[in-house]
């Protein structure tokens, strides 16, 4: 520590370094899942991907499940930010909401296919690993607020829309060619039509 360094600055530096290391582990975990699937997740593979010693992982996370929970939560927050950015200008216009959401879904399977596939693997892993379930539910809870005009507070309608979005993405991930926005628009528009 130099004469000009205050004790608080030194601890802030350590905290920032720790956050960068933790972030590197989360990012590396998502890349491992993207490349190798859940089966490829191990302390050694994550450490190699993050270019850190394997012991660093156990310093920041209690277990592999802890790393997976943090990775899933981070993925959820990223998706929520993208959804917010994509649909914020279209909140009061169903046609613009459909167009913006279709663009976002298409981008998820065209431009970020590997990341989207990895996120769904983590999401589905929550069915087998209870520790991941709160992180998986976070996505559903927050995205419900960005589903335009569905059911006027009807939780069943919101749940149906979220299930439809998941289904559309999964179908797009297994398509021979990643679909463009035009492939998503009819289903999204149909979901927004009022029911009698």
């Amino acid at each position: 520590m130099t004469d000009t360094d205050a004790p608080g600055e030194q601890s802030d530096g350590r905290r920032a370094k720790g956050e960068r290391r933790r972030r590197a582990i989360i990012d590396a975990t998502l890349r491992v899942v993207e490349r190798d699937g859940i089966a490829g997740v191990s302390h050694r593979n994550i450490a190699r991907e993050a270019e850190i010693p394997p012991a660093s992982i156990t310093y920041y996370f209690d277990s592999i499940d802890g790393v997976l929970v943090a990775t899933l939560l981070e993925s959820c927050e990223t998706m929520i930010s993208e959804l917010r950015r994509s649909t914020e200008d279209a909140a009061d216009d169903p046609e613009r909401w459909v167009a913006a959401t279709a663009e976002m879904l298409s981008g998820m399977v065209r431009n970020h296919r590997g990341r989207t596939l990895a996120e769904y693997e983590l999401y589905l892993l929550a069915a087998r690993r209870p520790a991941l379930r709160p992180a998986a539910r976070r996505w559903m809870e927050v995205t419900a607020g960005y589903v335009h005009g569905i059911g006027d507070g009807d939780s069943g309608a919101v749940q149906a829309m979220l299930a439809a979005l998941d289904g559309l993405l999964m179908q797009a991930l297994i398509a021979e060619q990643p679909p463009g926005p035009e492939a998503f628009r009819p289903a999204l528009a149909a979901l927004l039509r009022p029911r009698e």
Side-chain angles (χ1 to χ4, degrees):
M1 182 162 83
T2 67
D3 292 337
T4 59
D5 287 338
E9 289 174 4
Q10 187 179 20
S11 75
D12 285 348
R14 279 193 297 246
R15 189 175 308 133
K17 182 180 178 185
E19 257 318 297
R20 283 192 305 273
R21 177 67 57 95
R22 189 175 187 283
R23 178 73 208 201
I25 292 167
I26 291 169
D27 291 344
T29 302
L30 190 59
R31 288 192 306 272
V32 168
V33 175
E34 183 177 332
R35 185 185 61 236
D36 304 326
I38 292 294
V41 174
S42 68
H43 285 90
R44 181 172 294 162
N45 287 344
I46 294 168
R48 186 179 308 119
E49 185 70 30
E51 299 178 347
I52 59 172
S56 293
I57 297 168
T58 56
Y59 180 80
Y60 292 99
F61 298 97
D62 292 339
S63 64
I64 285 292
D65 275 2
V67 177
L68 293 172
V69 166
T71 303
L72 183 54
L73 281 171
E74 183 62 34
S75 294
C76 288
E77 294 306 322
T78 299
M79 291 172 77
I80 289 161
S81 294
E82 289 173 6
L83 180 62
R84 183 180 295 135
R85 190 174 52 253
S86 296
T87 61
E88 68 185 348
D89 293 337
D92 297 323
D93 183 340
E95 287 181 25
R96 286 177 56 207
W97 185 89
V98 165
T101 303
E103 282 289 336
M104 184 194 71
L105 295 176
S106 177
M108 288 173 73
V109 295
R110 285 180 160 220
N111 306 331
H112 305 288
R113 183 182 189 283
R115 185 185 82 190
T116 302
L117 185 59
E119 289 165 347
Y120 268 98
E121 280 198 58
L122 288 166
Y123 184 62
L124 289 172
L125 184 63
R128 293 189 185 274
R129 294 196 183 164
L132 275 74
R133 290 179 190 162
R137 284 192 297 266
R138 169 97 174 111
W139 163 246
M140 293 182 285
E141 290 163 1
V142 176
T143 52
Y146 292 94
V147 176
H148 175 80
I150 299 294
D152 296 323
D154 177 357
S155 63
V158 171
Q159 185 179 8
M161 174 60 96
L162 295 177
L165 292 175
D166 281 337
L168 288 169
L169 280 169
M170 284 196 217
Q171 289 173 3
L173 286 169
I174 62 170
E176 291 298 325
Q177 294 295 321
E182 65 285 348
F184 293 102
R185 285 188 195 114
L188 292 170
L191 288 164
L192 285 182
R193 278 190 210 111
R195 301 290 179 247
E196 306 239 342

